[in-house]
Amino acid sequence: MNNWNTFRLNRFIPCFLAFTTLLFLILFSRISYAEARPAVADRVIAYSGDLGIKVWTLRIGDRKAQEALVQIEDADHDWNLVIQKMKITRVNDALHYSVSQGNKRHVVLILKQNRGQLFLPNEPDPITLHYSETLSQSGDAQMFLNHYLANKK
């Protein structure tokens, strides 16, 4: 082998090693990032309402963050089966769940004790809700989170 081939080979090996090392670092950082899951409450809290509408709620993140995942089911609305992250604020003894729409916050859900009201955008009347023990027991917090994370991408 002549000196030129030896020179090219000696320059190629370090570049190849650096490239493969960088590729592995990128791959492993993606894998570890994908495994990071936000903390959620142990159980889903569900409500049933007029016309068979169901509302599922699940606290996400630290309790102090005051956020929840909310899904509306069996509603003739664009939000049907969409899981949204909502901000929770306490007003007197009621919890207000809201989303941002542009520069405004829209209160979607107001819960007080075992009752509530659902305010869907562009719908004239609120929907009355009642806590459902049966629905709540059928909910799976980790599966709910899985659906949210899968649809978020």
Side-chain angles (χ1 to χ4, degrees), residues 29-41:
S29 69
R30 287 274 187 189
I31 290 171
S32 65
Y33 179 76
E35 291 177 2
R37 292 171 58 89
V40 292

Side-chain angles (χ1 to χ4, degrees), residues 51-106:
L51 306 172
I53 290 178
K54 299 172 196 76
V55 176
W56 307 83
T57 65
L58 176 67
R59 180 186 49 79
I60 187 168
D62 185 14
R63 191 176 303 277
K64 294 176 187 173
Q66 295 292 305
E67 293 181 321
L69 300 179
V70 177
Q71 182 183 41
I72 299 157
E73 185 179 338
D74 293 333
D76 185 18
H77 193 272
D78 292 341
W79 286 5
N80 188 53
L81 297 178
V82 176
I83 301 173
Q84 299 182 63
K85 186 186 276 190
M86 297 189 184
K87 187 74 178 159
I88 304 170
T89 51
R90 183 174 295 277
V91 177
N92 298 325
D93 56 346
L95 298 177
H96 290 225
Y97 291 67
S98 61
V99 293
S100 292
Q101 291 183 326
N103 293 337
K104 296 182 179 180
R105 293 206 71 78
H106 174 75

Side-chain angles (χ1 to χ4, degrees), residues 5-150:
N5 286 339
T6 304
F7 175 74
R8 282 187 9 204
L9 186 61
N10 287 341
R11 280 188 61 110
F12 174 76
I13 290 173
C15 290
F16 177 76
L17 291 175
F19 176 76
T20 54
T21 302
L22 183 61
L23 189 64
F24 280 118
L25 286 173
I26 291 170
L27 178 67
F28 287 127
S29 69
R30 287 274 187 189
I31 290 171
S32 65
Y33 179 76
E35 291 177 2
R37 292 171 58 89
V40 292
D42 293 334
R43 58 178 273 194
V44 176
I45 305 296
Y47 297 83
S48 60
D50 301 338
L51 306 172
I53 290 178
K54 299 172 196 76
V55 176
W56 307 83
T57 65
L58 176 67
R59 180 186 49 79
I60 187 168
D62 185 14
R63 191 176 303 277
K64 294 176 187 173
Q66 295 292 305
E67 293 181 321
L69 300 179
V70 177
Q71 182 183 41
I72 299 157
E73 185 179 338
D74 293 333
D76 185 18
H77 193 272
D78 292 341
W79 286 5
N80 188 53
L81 297 178
V82 176
I83 301 173
Q84 299 182 63
K85 186 186 276 190
M86 297 189 184
K87 187 74 178 159
I88 304 170
T89 51
R90 183 174 295 277
V91 177
N92 298 325
D93 56 346
L95 298 177
H96 290 225
Y97 291 67
S98 61
V99 293
S100 292
Q101 291 183 326
N103 293 337
K104 296 182 179 180
R105 293 206 71 78
H106 174 75
V107 175
V108 177
L109 184 62
I110 298 176
L111 299 175
K112 184 176 178 179
Q113 296 174 351
N114 290 337
R115 299 176 178 264
Q117 288 188 307
L118 176 65
F119 300 89
L120 292 173
N122 303 319
E123 293 294 326
D125 299 318
I127 298 165
T128 301
L129 301 171
H130 301 280
Y131 170 73
S132 173
E133 181 68 30
T134 306
L135 287 176
S136 295
Q137 288 177 352
S138 70
D140 183 323
Q142 291 303 314
M143 290 300 292
F144 196 79
L145 178 61
N146 288 345
H147 289 293
Y148 171 73
L149 294 174

